[in-house]
Amino acid sequence: MAHPYPAMRRGIFVAVFLQFRSRRSVVSQIRAALLAVTLLAAPTGSAFAAPDINGTWKTPAGALIEIKACGKEPCGRIVDFPPPKGYTVQSTPDLNNRDEAKRGRKVLGLKVLWRLKPASNSWKGRAYDPRRGFSANATVRKTNANTLEVQGCVRVVFNVCEKETWRRVK
């Protein structure tokens, strides 16, 4: 139903709006001051940033993975591994890959960690396991200066995850 006196309705609305606006500015000023105090009191540096994971890491299976910048984000490549019987490090193909077209590519130099994005105190991205021939969602967490915890999860009906600890080589 329309208000019988539209001008009065408009005046009431303006008065309420101005009152709300003035209260809002005080609240906004208080919030801004609290935010400034919080930022000044927060520790400097990268206390909440993902840790530096660059370096060469040895997997439990004996492979060496070098993690370094690949453009703007880190990635990990295989730089050495114990080759299967009948192959050398240089000649080992990616025979277990689920994609038949990729089975001829060499394992040496293969990217096994990619699309890594910082996530609080870890990195989240993708991982490839050439022993099993499939990719998985990965979380890479530095547990101390010389160890990485690498967890890969594949969704079947529910998430199936496996965790490994990699040790720093260099």
Side-chain angles (χ1 to χ4, degrees):
M1 179 169 133
H3 197 282
Y5 304 101
M8 184 182 278
R9 185 183 66 190
R10 197 175 356 195
I12 293 169
F13 174 75
V14 170
V16 170
F17 175 74
L18 290 174
Q19 188 177 9
F20 173 75
R21 188 171 158 215
S22 66
R23 284 186 190 156
R24 182 170 162 73
S25 64
V26 170
V27 171
S28 295
Q29 290 173 4
I30 291 170
R31 284 184 181 159
L34 288 172
L35 179 62
V37 169
T38 303
L39 291 174
L40 289 173
T44 57
S46 58
F48 301 108
D52 177 19
I53 57 173
N54 291 325
T56 303
W57 303 88
K58 187 172 189 172
T59 71
L64 296 181
I65 311 297
E66 182 180 31
I67 300 176
K68 64 180 183 180
C70 295
K72 292 182 180 180
E73 50 196 37
C75 74
R77 293 185 183 274
I78 297 176
V79 293
D80 195 15
F81 60 95
K85 191 171 184 170
Y87 292 99
T88 67
V89 170
Q90 290 77 20
S91 70
T92 303
D94 189 13
L95 291 175
N96 297 324
N97 198 307
R98 296 209 174 155
D99 182 351
E100 239 178 273
K102 294 180 179 178
R103 290 183 185 162
R105 69 183 180 174
K106 302 295 181 209
V107 171
L108 186 64
L110 192 61
K111 196 183 287 187
V112 292
L113 288 173
W114 69 96
R115 270 195 242 150
L116 294 173
K117 304 281 185 212
S120 179
N121 64 341
S122 63
W123 293 86
K124 294 204 180 278
R126 297 286 293 165
Y128 175 70
D129 183 350
R131 294 170 298 168
R132 295 187 182 104
F134 64 83
S135 299
N137 290 324
T139 301
V140 179
R141 186 174 289 113
K142 193 170 184 180
T143 54
N144 63 47
N146 295 313
T147 59
L148 281 184
E149 183 181 271
V150 181
Q151 179 174 337
C153 295
V154 177
R155 184 143 185 94
V156 185
V157 174
F158 51 89
N159 273 345
V160 177
C161 300
E162 186 175 307
K163 198 182 292 185
E164 289 186 346
T165 300
W166 295 3
R167 309 249 179 248
R168 185 182 292 278
V169 175
K170 300 181 199 179

